[in-house]
Amino acid sequence: MTFLKENYPLVAFIAVYLITKNLILAAAVWSAGSLVQILTSVFNKEPIKKSHIAYFVLGIILVASAYYFDDENFIKWKTSIILWAGSLFILFRQVFSKKYIIQDLLKANDVLKDTAPQSLLVKINWLWILYLTGFGFLNIYIAYTFSTDVWFWFKIIGLFASTMLLFIISIIMLKEHVNLDEPQKPGPEETNSDKNDP
């Protein structure tokens, strides 16, 4: 449910393209979904995520350009622009804030221990920076070399699979500094003894 709540514009994009094979229409639906996310946050008086605003603004610009010039390649550039922006964001945070991408990815579950050395976090950061930058260029190559259908599946499956692979590699590199064990729940005896303590 959490995945659908956060990513339903992407799900709608995939569904519309598979049904219509119209990339511009599918991208327009994605942008509309991003607008719905923004309005939902406003109505619920929740903070508006910057990523939602970025997806909406960028999406509208590229959809309008694709429609005006009748060139769906404008839509395909969106993936590369987002990846390159993410790469720069990771780099700027490393340089100016000493914060690292893997810390953000593992923060929610408190998986990453405080023992991870900064040098290792920097190496992993550079892996992500190089990956995002390289995939952005590869996306453009696929977009202009192969059919839209090939690009579509490359974007949906290739990006997801390669990102998950890099995440796993990052975890392996941090194997001595991550805690993947379930937290131990106190047994009945421990609970009772706690209650008897003064």
Side-chain angles (χ1 to χ4, degrees), residues 15 20-22 42 50 52-53 68 71 78 102-103 105 132 146 155 159 164 173 175 186 188-189 194:
T20 67
K21 296 296 182 179
N22 187 325
V42 172
K50 295 178 181 178
H52 294 168
I53 297 175
Y68 181 80
D71 185 357
K78 181 178 181 179
I102 197 65
Q103 291 176 320
L105 296 175
L132 294 175
F146 299 95
K155 169 186 166 61
L159 182 58
M164 288 304 299
M173 292 176 67
K175 63 182 181 298
E189 296 180 0
D194 289 342

Side-chain angles (χ1 to χ4, degrees), residues 59-130:
I60 287 296
I61 293 172
L62 294 178
V63 167
S65 300
Y67 180 78
Y68 181 80
F69 292 103
D70 192 23
D71 185 357
E72 62 184 17
N73 283 325
F74 282 99
I75 305 300
K76 299 174 183 179
W77 274 88
K78 181 178 181 179
T79 300
S80 294
I81 293 172
I82 290 174
L83 291 174
W84 292 334
S87 179
L88 286 174
F89 179 73
I90 294 171
L91 179 60
F92 286 157
R93 289 190 76 207
Q94 173 180 312
V95 173
F96 297 108
S97 304
K98 302 299 180 185
K99 294 183 179 178
Y100 306 96
I101 180 65
I102 197 65
Q103 291 176 320
D104 296 331
L105 296 175
L106 299 178
K107 178 174 61 178
N109 298 317
D110 293 326
V111 174
L112 186 62
K113 300 177 182 177
D114 294 332
T115 57
Q118 186 179 14
S119 59
L120 182 55
L121 295 175
V122 169
K123 287 180 181 178
I124 294 173
N125 240 36
W126 277 109
L127 276 180
W128 282 88
I129 291 169
L130 293 173

